[in-house]
Amino acid sequence: IMCKNLLSEILGFCDFKKEVFLAAAPYFHIMGLSTMLHLPLLAGSKIVLTFPFSGEDFGSKLLKVVSFAKISIFVGAPRFYEMMIQSFEKSRWWGWFNFSSLKICISGSVEMPKGLRKNFRKIFGKSILDGYGMSESGITHCQKKDFDSNGSVGVPLPGVEHKILEYGKDAKGEVLVRSSGLMKGYLTEGTIQNKESFEIFIDSDGWLHTADLGYINSGELFLTGRKRYIIKTKHGENVYPSDTEQVICSNELIAEVAVVGRKAKDDYEEIIAFVVLKNELAEGYSHGELEADLKEYCKFRLAPFKIPQKFYFIRELPKNIFGKVLRNELK
């Protein structure tokens, strides 16, 4: 119901029976289940199923379905939009297809890569809105307009409250949400439990502690990572991996980076960066030279305790089907 109210607000007056939803995200994921099954069923809209959701030709399949089935609403991971762009750019043939039926494109599951939203808008003339949700809460946030690349996941849906449980003085902390759509608890050995021993739980005031980290600015939610991935350095400082990743990724030689903590002595963690290079730019450099250059690059842009102690150069980051980095594998 909250998602339906949001779409009504974005679209204005609309007859949902005339809308066509493209269900590309699998139904075992909350994004697909909530927005591409529950929502269109509630609204009485048409659903077009597209499986499998992987493979080199998936981008082409999405483009064909959007054009021939006159898709008006599409929710998918950034990887889906990326594959659509890649397929379009491979052949001029797609210039004959009509994608004007698209009214709303929403992205979720993982952060939108730099430039992807801009490229999609340039090619298809459509903006991609960002959203946020969890299995335990359903969809709770979405942009109501194209905020471009400000990094937010939007504002709370109608009926959703949010706040930040702050850690320290930087206004960053754990994201808490409250709504009528929250789970009751986890089913454990035949009983519903809501104990704080779980990473994600609901407190006595009805707030879901998401274990996601972020901050709120002008009502918009900005995510900065997961609580479990905070790196505790030997200086007693908490380091958010995203702070270090953003700086490293701003270097022209870097395609992608993921920062994790590695256990060292006395229970503190070392900061480790896994880096994917732009090979055409990094050609001719040794890994030792690159590591030294990146440390120097970080020194002028980061506090000393946020600079990685070690850089590993790898061909690609391990990811799931939605493009989310599997940090536990890196650790």
Side-chain angles (χ1 to χ4, degrees), residues 284-298:
Y285 288 87
S286 70
H287 285 180
E289 290 173 328
L290 285 167
E291 182 171 26
D293 287 349
L294 285 174
K295 285 185 177 180
E296 190 70 15
Y297 185 82
C298 290

Side-chain angles (χ1 to χ4, degrees), residues 192-206:
I192 298 293
Q193 296 190 23
N194 243 336
K195 296 181 179 179
E196 293 192 16
S197 57
F198 293 102
E199 184 185 29
I200 302 170
F201 66 94
I202 301 175
D203 64 26
S204 58
D205 293 322

Side-chain angles (χ1 to χ4, degrees), residues 3-18:
C3 290
K4 183 182 178 183
N5 291 340
L6 172 73
L7 289 186
S8 297
E9 187 175 338
I10 295 175
L11 291 171
F13 176 79
C14 67
D15 183 357
F16 276 103
K17 292 183 179 179
K18 294 182 180 179

Side-chain angles (χ1 to χ4, degrees), residues 46 78 87 131 140 161 202 205 209 216 220 236 271 277:
K46 294 179 181 178
S87 294
T140 60
E161 300 174 81
I202 301 175
D205 293 322
H209 293 238
I216 297 171
E220 298 176 45
I271 302 175
L277 297 168

